[in-house]
Amino acid sequence: MTTRHLPQPPSDDEPYRHFGPQRRWVPISSSLAFVLTAATMLAFALRTPALWALLAVLSLHVLALALSSVDSLRARRLSAGPWTAGRTTG
C-alpha cells in the first residue's frame, strides 16, 4: 500500500510561519471601552434600590473581563516539542 496521497507533517519551522503580530492593543482598547460602560452602568444602578440587581450582572462582567485580560495579555509561548516521526509513547 502506498501512502503518497497522504499529507506530510509540517517541518519544524513551518508552524511558526503562521504567527503574526499579537496586536495587544485590541484587548486593551476593548477593556477601556468596557470600563467606561461599566462606570455608566454602576452610576445608573446605584440611583434606585430597584436597580441593584444590575450590580450582580456588572460584577459578573467585571470578573469575565479580568479572566479574559489575564488570558489575552500574556505573551505568546513558542515551544517546539521533542516530537519525532515514528516515535510512539507508551
Side-chain angles (χ1 to χ4, degrees), residues 40-69:
T40 303
M41 188 175 173
L42 179 67
F44 180 69
L46 290 177
R47 289 184 183 205
T48 310
L51 298 176
W52 286 354
L54 291 176
L55 295 175
V57 175
L58 181 61
S59 64
L60 288 175
H61 282 291
V62 168
L63 178 67
L65 174 71
L67 291 175
S68 69
S69 294

Side-chain angles (χ1 to χ4, degrees), residues 54-89:
L54 291 176
L55 295 175
V57 175
L58 181 61
S59 64
L60 288 175
H61 282 291
V62 168
L63 178 67
L65 174 71
L67 291 175
S68 69
S69 294
V70 166
D71 184 49
S72 63
L73 295 177
R74 286 187 300 173
R76 182 182 290 145
R77 187 178 79 191
L78 299 176
S79 61
W83 184 85
T84 57
R87 189 175 116 182
T88 59
T89 59

